Amino acid sequence: MTTGCHASKDTVMTPSVRLQEMIRVIRSARTQGEERGIIQKECADIRAQFRQGDNGERSHSLAKLLYVHMLGYPAHFGQMECVRLIASPRYSEKRIGYLGAMMLLDEKQDASLLITNSIKNDLSHSSQYVQSLALCTLACMGSAEMCRDLAPEIERLLRASNCYIKKKATLCAVHIIRKVPELAELFTPSARSLLSEKNHGVLHGAVVLITELCEHNPDTLDQFRKAVPELVQIMKGLVTSSYSPEHNVAGISDPFLQVRILRLLRILGHNNDTASDAMNDLLAQVATNTDSSKTAGSAVLYETVLTIMDINSESGLRVLAVNILGRFLLNNDRNIRYISMTSLQKIVQTDHNAVQRHRGTIVDCLKDQDTSVKRRALELSLALVSAVNIRSMMKELLIFLSTCPPELRSQTTSGIFNVAERYSPSKRWHIDTILHVLTTAGGDVRDETVPNLIQLITTASELHCYTVHKLYRALVKEISQQPLVQVACWCIGEYGDLLLKGECEEIEPVQVTEDDVLDALETVLQSHMSSPATRGFALTATMKLSTRITDNVDRIRSIVSIYGSCIDLELQQRAVEYNALFKKYDHMRAAVLERMPVMGKNSPGHTNGDTSGENKEPDPSKPKPVEAGLLSEPASQVCDLLDLLGGTDTPLQPNPAPTSTPTTTSSTDLLDLLGGLEPTPVLTETVYEKNGLRLKIQCDKQTETEVMVTLIGSNSAQNDITNFSLQAAVPKSVQLQMKAPSGNVIPAHGLGQVTQTVVLNNPNKVSLKIRIRVSYSNQGVMHQDTVQIDSFPSPACQPQSALCDTYTSSASP
């Protein structure tokens, strides 16, 4: 063996052995440093070979360099050698040269332009294999300049008699159209004639070429729609053809060509009744006769479903497509289940009833081990919830919430809250559902959940006793879920008297003493798990109980006084103010701490991330609260009291004062500082209204150089509007920034809105104009309109108003 090795070094070895020997040595390297040393030595030898000129070894050296390039090492010094080999008359060298050009050159390098003339000469070569090399190279790395120069040659080869060349020329034409779209018209006449070919390779290339032409130039759609019957016949021939070993894949005749034809039919049949009618029977035949047990059959069926859903197909055919996707849900392959649910998610708005038939299978996918499949199943399950199945679906969703991965909990809780709010059969069921979620995954809910639940509880006056009992039991049992503890503390503070009575028809009564309630609140205050916000809820609840119990007021006073020196400033401020109520203003304590009034859905901080509701006008049948003033307090005490109760919405009932004591002018002015302050109405303008979609514009902020507006879309139609999107264009001197929209589905009957904020930066202070393109789908039909906005409504809060800048109100626990 040793002698043989020495002999091989001294004698001229065959090129393949030399390349194989280099590969073997590189693979046998034990360290990366050793490999780099071998590569550097080989590259030096290759450079020496290139410098020697035409010695017959250049192609073998370039082959070795290409392997070095595949390993990730620099090989740029071989670019010019590729150009020389391409110009060589020998096929063996030309083949390596073209291969090197495809690997080492790209359109950004000047060396690529040097091979344009060689490619043009080889496209007219007598050998089909040389022509093939030139076609493959142009299709792989041809720049826009090369495509313009060589496009006529490619168009000529499309009419060649050789199917081998015609197939490669067709794919090369696709590359040219992608690089230079204006050359598409050059290939349009030849593309139609290629459909009459019998060779599957040419047919496949022709379908890809026509698809590219239709996508880049919609004006050609009408021309190629005339070829729909021809495409249908080709597809029928594939479906009904007998077994052919050359094209058969897992029992399916040329599934690659079938998939390409179905994609082209989907483009040609979109929004065209005539073309859709011509392919309806074919799609039904493919959907019923294709075996889905193999991957190839599933691919054909999936493309068939997408085509049915995208054209103007019959209702029965759409149901058949949904049923195919339902069968995919039972497939053992997770990838097939995933794409099935992704497709069902897109059509659930337009074919809701058909998708509902597979609800059980979709819910079962929530138990899948794969997180991505679970996420798709969750999204689809939430989309299937309706007023009819809300109870059964909510039961499944709550079971899923208790076992779902941590990364899906936030999405699950948000989805449950949204569907519960939209379809809840009763307020008690709604409250129970939210409490169940808070108990199971309270740490994963959104911040607005607490004020939303409080608002719901205040409106359900008949359930106050039931709710406070249930929340008290939950608080005693577990205090780790902060949102649940906050709501429980709020309810105990508001309705503690109902809890102490122990009379509740909806729930088994439990006798609770004043000490028990205070012990529970004090546990929350002292627990290390309680956040500062939760302690604030608990301290306020404790203070409110001072007007609802009789025997433990001194204990409450001592609890409050302890937190007057708390390290947390918010808690300390509350405690100091509450101590002031006990000492200075004890006669007003009952009025200040009375029950909160019923909160409106759109009160500040109670939106649940949804701006669908309109601001309701006050009910004239209800009496307005009387604004009371302090009649006989020194001016300094009035100032203290204003600071103490700043921001409260609870009207204060004054004690009667002697008429002989005059009210000071300063106190009257202070109390009247915010008198008559009414919320400024938000001005909106309707800029688009069509097909049930109404688009409004609202100006949020306006300065000399910046305007912030919000576009609000609502839907008064009978069906949900899907795929809603907005695009904007402004003059070149204006900078445009579009924030992410709140969604792309607008519920029907005005039940929701989609908003998107747009910021316009106008440093040159030119006249502002904005053009909006509105795109949406209504009942499966895509609509697109353009609106120009030349003026904007006045902002709700002008910057020059000091009151707008400085006065804000917020709801505190």
Side-chain angles (χ1 to χ4, degrees), residues 222-416:
D222 291 336
Q223 180 177 346
F224 286 113
R225 281 189 176 120
K226 299 176 183 177
V228 169
E230 197 171 351
L231 291 168
V232 169
Q233 288 301 320
I234 296 173
M235 189 69 185
K236 282 186 177 180
L238 293 172
V239 175
T240 59
S241 64
S242 57
Y243 175 77
S244 173
E246 184 180 359
H247 306 118
N248 187 277
V249 179
I252 306 297
S253 178
D254 203 343
F256 304 102
L257 180 56
Q258 289 193 42
V259 166
R260 286 293 183 181
I261 293 176
L262 288 169
R263 289 180 183 175
L264 178 56
L265 291 175
R266 181 158 74 245
I267 296 174
L268 297 176
H270 184 68
N271 291 338
N272 188 276
D273 293 332
T274 304
S276 299
D277 292 340
M279 61 184 77
N280 274 335
D281 293 340
L282 167 70
L283 295 174
Q285 184 179 2
V286 175
T288 53
N289 294 340
T290 304
D291 181 17
S292 62
S293 59
K294 303 292 184 180
T295 304
S298 298
V300 173
L301 281 177
Y302 179 64
E303 290 295 333
T304 304
V305 169
L306 295 182
T307 303
I308 291 172
M309 291 303 176
D310 210 36
I311 68 172
N312 300 340
S313 55
E314 302 169 351
S315 59
L317 200 57
R318 297 180 70 87
V319 173
L320 177 61
V322 174
N323 291 339
I324 292 174
L325 293 176
R327 291 206 308 270
F328 283 171
L329 293 175
L330 302 174
N331 198 296
N332 292 327
D333 192 330
R334 287 176 179 166
N335 294 322
I336 294 179
R337 293 203 300 272
Y338 181 86
I339 63 171
S340 173
M341 284 186 287
T342 302
S343 302
L344 289 172
Q345 181 73 23
K346 296 177 181 177
I347 63 177
V348 68
Q349 300 295 336
T350 56
D351 298 89
H352 190 81
N353 293 332
V355 180
Q356 278 283 4
R357 299 190 183 100
H358 305 280
R359 188 175 71 237
T361 309
I362 294 169
V363 171
D364 287 340
C365 289
L366 291 171
K367 304 172 185 176
D368 197 281
Q369 298 298 318
D370 190 270
T371 304
S372 59
V373 174
K374 284 184 178 181
R375 180 178 283 106
R376 278 285 177 263
L378 172 63
E379 294 170 354
L380 194 51
S381 298
L382 292 171
L384 289 176
V385 176
S386 64
V388 178
N389 61 28
I390 179 66
R391 292 183 183 273
S392 59
M393 287 296 293
M394 188 58 68
K395 181 179 179 181
E396 297 291 343
L397 290 171
L398 291 175
I399 293 174
F400 173 72
L401 177 62
S402 61
T403 58
C404 73
E407 60 267 24
L408 293 181
R409 285 198 172 188
S410 178
Q411 182 181 358
T412 306
T413 55
S414 299
I416 289 176

Side-chain angles (χ1 to χ4, degrees), residues 418-485:
N418 288 336
V419 297
E421 182 176 359
R422 188 171 182 179
Y423 300 111
S424 61
S426 65
K427 287 187 176 180
R428 174 172 174 175
W429 181 92
H430 193 181
I431 293 172
D432 287 343
T433 301
I434 297 180
L435 293 182
H436 189 286
V437 173
L438 293 180
T439 305
T440 306
D444 299 290
V445 300
R446 296 179 297 185
D447 293 339
E448 60 267 23
T449 301
V450 171
N452 280 335
L453 180 54
I454 290 175
Q455 184 271 336
L456 175 63
I457 293 172
T458 58
T459 57
S461 56
E462 69 281 3
L463 296 175
H464 287 169
C465 184
Y466 167 78
T467 305
V468 72
H469 275 82
K470 190 160 187 176
L471 283 169
Y472 173 76
R473 295 180 181 183
L475 179 66
V476 173
K477 184 178 180 181
E478 177 68 50
I479 62 171
S480 62
Q481 303 290 358
Q482 295 298 289
L484 179 66
V485 175

